[in-house]
Amino acid sequence: PFVVAIALKRRRSEMENRRSHQRYKIESEVRISVGEKELVGSVSSISMGGVRINTEALLEHGGIIEMNIMSPDGKEKLQVMGKVVWSE
């Protein structure tokens, strides 16, 4: 699967030390709108500054996406816009 905002394991501690916001691990569904396409994926961590998304599709680095992130219990939805800053 495709992962957004993934850090190499050996550099993980370096990346965590540079973070401005605390990250929280969650398991939640996300629907991503890219132009006319809608993709479904999952969120594995989230913070005030970003989100880690797992999806089968390759997202364009620097692309603007709209995300509908479901709460882990599926009762609430958060709609946000974002920029892809890391993809592989």
Side-chain angles (χ1 to χ4, degrees):
F2 171 73
V3 178
V4 175
I6 186 170
L8 295 175
K9 190 172 185 174
R10 67 188 171 118
R11 294 186 55 207
R12 185 178 199 130
S13 63
E14 293 173 24
M15 295 295 289
E16 288 172 358
N17 291 335
R18 293 189 334 203
R19 295 194 193 282
S20 300
H21 306 284
Q22 184 173 354
R23 282 204 166 273
Y24 300 94
K25 291 184 179 184
I26 66 169
E27 291 183 27
S28 186
E29 180 182 285
V30 62
R31 293 190 178 272
I32 306 160
S33 297
V34 183
E36 299 294 318
K37 295 181 186 177
E38 182 175 87
L39 310 170
V40 177
S42 64
V43 174
S44 57
S45 70
I46 194 166
S47 75
M48 291 297 290
V51 63
R52 180 176 176 174
I53 299 172
N54 306 299
T55 182
E56 294 294 324
L58 181 62
L59 298 176
E60 180 183 348
H61 181 82
I64 303 298
I65 59 175
E66 181 178 319
M67 297 169 280
N68 288 296
I69 303 171
M70 298 301 294
S71 62
D73 64 6
K75 294 181 180 178
E76 297 182 59
K77 178 174 67 172
L78 175 65
Q79 184 176 17
V80 295
M81 299 289 289
K83 180 179 178 181
V84 178
V85 296
W86 185 285
S87 62
E88 75 175 27

